[in-house]
Amino acid sequence: MPPDPASIGFAPLAPEHYPALQAWLAEPHIREWWGDPEEEFGLIRDMVEGCDSTRPFVILLDREPVGYIQYWFIGDHQNEEWINDHPWLAEFPPDTIGVDLSIGRPDLLGKGLGSAALEAFVAMLRQQGYETIIIDPSPDNARAVRAYRKAGFRPIPELEGRTGDVLIMQYDPNTDEKTI
């Protein structure tokens, strides 16, 4: 049974969250998709310190940190260097938001928390005025793709096969089909 949406919250990532974040990044289920824990931690610490425009948060379940979520601005990556490596970035308006997340605690995987957290986070972003919201999992990460579909994200057909090793999915506010 998925968690009660009222039990999910978010807090800006702060130095007091670093020990939990470092432990999560070292978990096999995160490391498989995110890469080297120390490198990832350094990038996220830079975000907290304001060296990057990405906005990092912890996912809270009943006020306890259980995962990581962030949003980033496509417009900040629409430059020659990024577009040369990721041409699909040019396909979106500059005010598009990208989202990334991971459930940190392995005991909470497969319980609907990822979908519920993503739905709540998207609702927060939409309340802030963001309309175009994407996520870019590996197409091989079946668990993530299923969770994102349940949260209202759909693959963008015209980009399929043109985005390298990621599947670009966009939030569709008009979908009422929550598929598994």
Side-chain angles (χ1 to χ4, degrees):
M1 172 179 281
D4 176 0
S7 67
I8 297 173
F10 308 98
L13 188 87
E16 61 264 20
H17 301 121
Y18 288 170
L21 177 64
Q22 288 177 300
W24 297 336
L25 290 169
E27 289 285 348
H29 72 277
I30 294 180
R31 190 174 181 153
E32 178 179 7
W33 305 109
W34 284 64
D36 178 69
E38 287 305 312
E39 183 179 333
E40 295 296 336
F41 177 71
L43 293 170
I44 295 169
R45 187 181 53 228
D46 285 350
M47 295 171 201
V48 172
E49 294 173 359
C51 301
D52 184 306
S53 62
T54 301
R55 307 285 164 74
F57 294 83
V58 291
I59 300 169
L60 304 172
L61 180 61
D62 296 323
R63 298 189 188 135
E64 293 296 319
V66 296
Y68 176 78
I69 194 164
Q70 66 184 24
Y71 71 93
W72 51 281
F73 303 91
I74 292 280
D76 290 353
H77 296 85
Q78 289 177 323
N79 57 55
E80 186 176 347
E81 177 185 352
W82 277 90
I83 290 176
N84 281 341
D85 291 337
H86 311 283
W88 59 266
L89 287 167
E91 304 277 335
F92 291 95
D95 61 350
T96 300
I97 295 294
V99 177
D100 303 293
L101 78 145
S102 283
I103 302 305
R105 289 184 27 199
D107 62 309
L108 295 174
L109 295 174
K111 300 185 184 304
L113 179 57
S115 297
L118 184 55
E119 280 186 79
F121 199 69
V122 166
M124 180 186 79
L125 292 171
R126 289 181 53 80
Q127 286 176 346
Q128 294 175 13
Y130 299 111
E131 292 187 23
T132 306
I133 303 169
I134 65 164
I135 199 159
D136 61 345
S138 166
D140 297 332
N141 190 343
R143 179 186 324 195
V145 172
R146 259 191 326 273
Y148 304 160
R149 287 187 67 80
K150 284 175 63 177
F153 284 79
R154 299 292 174 261
I156 302 172
E158 56 271 16
L159 289 180
E160 288 188 67
R162 298 181 29 224
T163 57
D165 60 353
V166 296
L167 173 65
I168 306 301
M169 302 174 78
Q170 184 172 340
Y171 177 72
D172 181 355
N174 299 313
T175 189
D176 56 1
E177 174 194 350
K178 303 292 183 184
T179 59
I180 294 178

